[in-house]
Amino acid sequence: MQSTHLSDLRPATAQPTGAEAGRQRQGRLWSNLREVCDLLHIPTTNIPSSDELLFQHVQFKMGQRVHTIGQAFDTLFVVNSGFLKTVLIDEFGNEQVLSFPMKGDMMGVDGIHTRHYASEAVALSDCDLILLPFRKLAALGRAHTELENLLYGVMSRELVREQTMIGMLGALSAEARVARFLVSLADRFAAMGYSSKLFNLRMTRHEIGSYLGLTLETVSRTLSAFNEVGLISVDQRTIGIKDADALKNLRRLPPSRSRSRQRARAEATAAAASVGPAVQLATA
Amino acid sequence: MQSTHLSDLRPATAQPTGAEAGRQRQGRLWSNLREVCDLLHIPTTNIPSSDELLFQHVQFKMGQRVHTIGQAFDTLFVVNSGFLKTVLIDEFGNEQVLSFPMKGDMMGVDGIHTRHYASEAVALSDCDLILLPFRKLAALGRAHTELENLLYGVMSRELVREQTMIGMLGALSAEARVARFLVSLADRFAAMGYSSKLFNLRMTRHEIGSYLGLTLETVSRTLSAFNEVGLISVDQRTIGIKDADALKNLRRLPPSRSRSRQRARAEATAAAASVGPAVQLATA
DNA sequence: CGATGAGTTGACGTCGATCAACTAATGTGG
DNA sequence: CCACATTAGTTGATCGACGTCAACTCATCG
């Protein structure tokens, strides 16, 4: 696995992958405050689109690390394009996935407290990130109330997200967790302007399982089961959402016996009634 | 169940329960900025102990609600004394415990984002809380960098705490969760100047279970098992920590048969010889 | 084309939930 | 202050959801 630290990276010089926002200057991509706020979905009542104050973009390739645990903190990141995961590494080297940041999400907030990042961020695809030097940002917040609200708001939003996650891990069945995970992905894709009905997973079953507190086999089986009952369609990493409402409210599926009994019954009806089993199995 | 909202409460007029900090003025308890920072364990390099700027205390009786979900947000709370729980209520009215705030903890941060509290806070004992009007506090932060750092720092700390919680719920066995819960309580009591070896739980088994993603029966059984192997002593809500290190590193206990075999052997022969370890510790 | 990792599916075991019975605290009204 | 109701906690028996182990298929890529 390749790994790259900030200091190793030369900022993008060529065409960026996602060229929605930003401008070239000194052969690099930059965004102004207004664009950053828009990206974060923060109402920007009166932030001017001035180009006085610009924030630099940096590109990461799939598999590269944006920051690692314990690394000195000084900047926050906003995802402009691409997909990532953030993970905790436990005392035995096991990864615990904490989130799957994508366009409009902020990363690095967990570094503020101790001045060192508490988690690790890895690119799951090629990514374009905007760097927000924290000290500079906080200083700016003193002048612009909107920006100050942005910071507090984003941190609070992240906190609420994690609370919801805790509630989910503490109370829901495997099936309900996977269902809500799919719905939440669909919603986020919708918010980014993509289809919420058909999308590609950017993460492995193992990463999904880690995120949801399940094994990869359980994730796989659950997706298959959803597919079987027509809630979704699954083809490798391509997911089609068939019944979003049912997924949202799902507590658990009827037991698999009853599903297979239904199938068995359907098959059996053709082959008439009372034929004994061909082979008598040992039952003790 | 009694419930009280902020507006219903008359601030304390008599002797407060925990009279560590604060002063009387207009027959009420108040703390200055310095005292609040100390309470939060924030290094206060150059915050003066001026009494220009005072924050009001409010008392809550056991069972009272400090804030409820959806209630308009405008103030943060710092616990000066007492014990509380914060909970999420899911779509079917089930409580999910998120945290057990105690002296020095901040509550209400989850309300910043949407301007409405996202959780509910309930007093588990009589409590003395300090009110921090958020807008006022943020405004003050613009003048005092230390205070600004306090706010960002406390929010980030809370975020890291929840991340750790997610990792725990996602990866650890029931026994490991209960063990770490006890250790974390012990540490917090130590930080408050109380004994970390002997303390009283302020919450029910049901609340612990909800917090840890377990049923109350599992919590009860696990405590009994820890007691049985001598890791702790349990008498109702009184917990004695016997082997904090073992608790910290515990992955899971050996199956109960082998435990009772061990007891039987120990009782049968005073000759110890080669008895396997009573607890399975973390190994690389 | 073989190698490698991702994903699927089955068989089986077990951890923890559920249901239930009981005891120990706590509180309330007479 | 006691009788009684109510809630908290313990413990046992049972069951099922999910983890584990294993075999296999399918994509991707050098």
Side-chain angles (χ1 to χ4, degrees), chain B residues 4 15 26-27 33 51 53 63 69 88 115 152 159 161 164-165 182 184 211 222 232 240 257 264 270-271 283:
Chain B
T4 308
Q15 302 290 39
Q26 303 170 359
L33 185 51
D51 284 7
L53 177 62
I69 297 172
L88 231 52
R115 302 267 140 218
Y152 290 127
L159 211 85
R161 192 191 70 77
T164 310
M165 196 67 204
L182 293 175
S184 112
Y211 179 65
T222 305
I232 64 172
R257 336 178 228 310
T283 49

Side-chain angles (χ1 to χ4, degrees), chain A residues 179-200:
Chain A
R180 298 205 180 188
F181 172 70
L182 293 175
V183 175
S184 114
L185 273 188
D187 289 348
R188 295 170 79 188
F189 279 116
M192 291 172 11
Y194 302 142
S195 166
S196 66
K197 296 286 147 205
L198 189 67
F199 51 83
N200 280 313

Side-chain angles (χ1 to χ4, degrees), chain A residues 154-166:
Chain A
V154 168
M155 290 179 71
S156 173
R157 183 213 286 170
E158 197 59 20
L159 211 86
V160 173
R161 192 192 69 78
E162 292 197 354
Q163 282 184 3
T164 311
M165 195 67 205
I166 292 177

Side-chain angles (χ1 to χ4, degrees), chain B residues 36-85:
Chain B
V36 172
C37 289
D38 288 349
L39 201 48
L40 289 165
H41 309 113
I42 302 284
T44 58
T45 30
N46 60 352
I47 288 182
S49 289
S50 87
D51 284 7
E52 300 297 303
L53 177 62
L54 292 176
F55 297 98
Q56 186 179 346
H57 290 227
V58 176
Q59 267 68 38
F60 289 85
K61 292 221 168 296
M62 182 181 347
Q64 285 184 331
R65 247 164 285 179
V66 176
H67 60 75
T68 63
I69 297 172
Q71 179 187 336
F73 163 87
D74 61 346
T75 117
L76 298 171
F77 304 86
V78 174
V79 183
N80 184 44
S81 73
F83 299 86
L84 305 95
K85 66 174 175 181

Side-chain angles (χ1 to χ4, degrees), chain B residues 6-256:
Chain B
L6 250 190
S7 49
D8 304 334
L9 285 173
R10 67 284 93 131
T13 52
Q15 302 290 39
T17 33
E20 297 88 352
R23 62 199 40 58
Q24 302 279 345
R25 199 175 87 175
Q26 303 170 359
R28 296 174 181 183
L29 246 192
W30 302 75
S31 287
N32 65 25
L33 185 51
R34 177 58 174 269
E35 289 160 343
V36 172
C37 289
D38 288 349
L39 201 48
L40 289 165
H41 309 113
I42 302 284
T44 58
T45 30
N46 60 352
I47 288 182
S49 289
S50 87
D51 284 7
E52 300 297 303
L53 177 62
L54 292 176
F55 297 98
Q56 186 179 346
H57 290 227
V58 176
Q59 267 68 38
F60 289 85
K61 292 221 168 296
M62 182 181 347
Q64 285 184 331
R65 247 164 285 179
V66 176
H67 60 75
T68 63
I69 297 172
Q71 179 187 336
F73 163 87
D74 61 346
T75 117
L76 298 171
F77 304 86
V78 174
V79 183
N80 184 44
S81 73
F83 299 86
L84 305 95
K85 66 174 175 181
T86 66
V87 302
L88 231 52
I89 314 281
D90 76 11
E91 58 254 72
F92 305 104
N94 306 315
E95 279 194 1
Q96 165 73 42
V97 175
L98 292 173
S99 67
F100 294 113
M102 49 189 82
K103 184 179 178 181
D105 291 328
M106 188 179 273
M107 304 191 305
V109 175
D110 59 28
I112 296 174
H113 175 227
T114 60
R115 302 267 140 218
H116 295 270
Y117 296 101
S119 64
E120 178 167 314
V122 182
L124 297 179
S125 70
D126 290 2
C127 289
D128 181 58
L129 307 186
I130 304 174
L131 307 184
L132 306 180
F134 177 64
R135 296 243 57 83
K136 193 165 140 196
L137 203 63
L140 277 170
R142 282 168 222 140
H144 297 279
T145 313
E146 286 82 6
L147 182 53
E148 190 186 72
N149 286 339
L150 177 157
L151 270 173
Y152 290 127
V154 168
M155 290 178 71
S156 173
R157 184 213 285 169
E158 198 58 22
L159 211 85
V160 172
R161 192 191 70 77
E162 292 196 354
Q163 282 183 2
T164 310
M165 196 67 204
I166 292 177
M168 179 160 146
L169 290 176
L172 295 188
S173 70
E175 281 154 357
R177 290 183 212 182
V178 174
R180 298 204 179 190
F181 172 69
L182 293 175
V183 177
S184 112
L185 273 188
D187 289 348
R188 295 170 78 187
F189 279 117
M192 290 171 16
Y194 301 142
S195 168
S196 66
K197 296 285 145 203
L198 189 67
F199 51 82
N200 280 312
L201 300 175
R202 299 321 215 282
M203 63 293 284
T204 67
R205 304 287 193 263
H206 180 76
E207 286 160 343
I208 297 173
S210 169
Y211 179 65
L212 297 176
L214 304 169
T215 59
L216 67 96
E217 292 96 328
T218 298
V219 173
S220 177
R221 267 187 259 270
T222 305
L223 290 176
S224 298
F226 288 171
N227 181 55
E228 209 179 337
V229 298
L231 289 175
I232 64 172
S233 63
V234 190
D235 175 42
Q236 292 295 120
R237 298 205 175 173
T238 305
I239 301 286
I241 303 286
K242 299 291 189 54
D243 189 344
D245 281 338
L247 286 174
K248 249 190 277 285
N249 302 354
L250 180 139
R251 302 245 98 186
R252 64 190 43 198
L253 254 23
S256 61

Side-chain angles (χ1 to χ4, degrees), chain A residues 5-158:
Chain A
H5 285 256
L6 249 190
S7 49
D8 304 335
L9 284 174
R10 66 286 93 132
T13 53
Q15 303 290 38
T17 33
E20 297 89 352
R23 62 200 40 59
Q24 302 279 344
R25 200 176 84 173
Q26 303 170 359
R28 296 173 181 182
L29 247 191
W30 303 75
S31 286
N32 66 26
L33 184 52
R34 177 59 174 270
E35 289 160 343
V36 172
C37 289
D38 288 350
L39 201 48
L40 288 165
H41 310 113
I42 303 284
T44 58
T45 29
N46 59 353
I47 288 183
S49 289
S50 87
D51 283 7
E52 299 297 303
L53 178 61
L54 292 176
F55 297 97
Q56 186 180 345
H57 290 226
V58 176
Q59 267 69 36
F60 288 86
K61 291 221 168 300
M62 180 179 354
Q64 285 184 332
R65 248 164 284 178
V66 176
H67 59 75
T68 64
I69 297 173
Q71 180 187 337
F73 163 88
D74 60 346
T75 119
L76 298 171
F77 303 86
V78 175
V79 183
N80 184 45
S81 73
F83 299 85
L84 304 95
K85 65 173 175 181
T86 67
V87 302
L88 231 48
I89 314 282
D90 75 12
E91 59 254 71
F92 310 105
N94 306 315
E95 279 194 0
Q96 165 72 45
V97 175
L98 293 172
S99 66
F100 293 112
M102 50 188 81
K103 184 177 177 179
D105 290 329
M106 187 178 274
M107 305 192 303
V109 175
D110 58 28
I112 295 175
H113 174 227
T114 60
R115 302 266 139 218
H116 295 270
Y117 295 102
S119 64
E120 177 168 315
V122 182
L124 296 179
S125 70
D126 290 1
C127 289
D128 182 60
L129 308 185
I130 304 175
L131 307 185
L132 306 179
F134 177 63
R135 296 242 57 83
K136 193 164 141 196
L137 203 65
L140 277 169
R142 282 168 222 140
H144 297 279
T145 314
E146 285 84 3
L147 182 53
E148 189 185 72
N149 285 342
L150 176 158
L151 270 174
Y152 290 127
V154 168
M155 290 179 71
S156 173
R157 183 213 286 170
E158 197 59 20

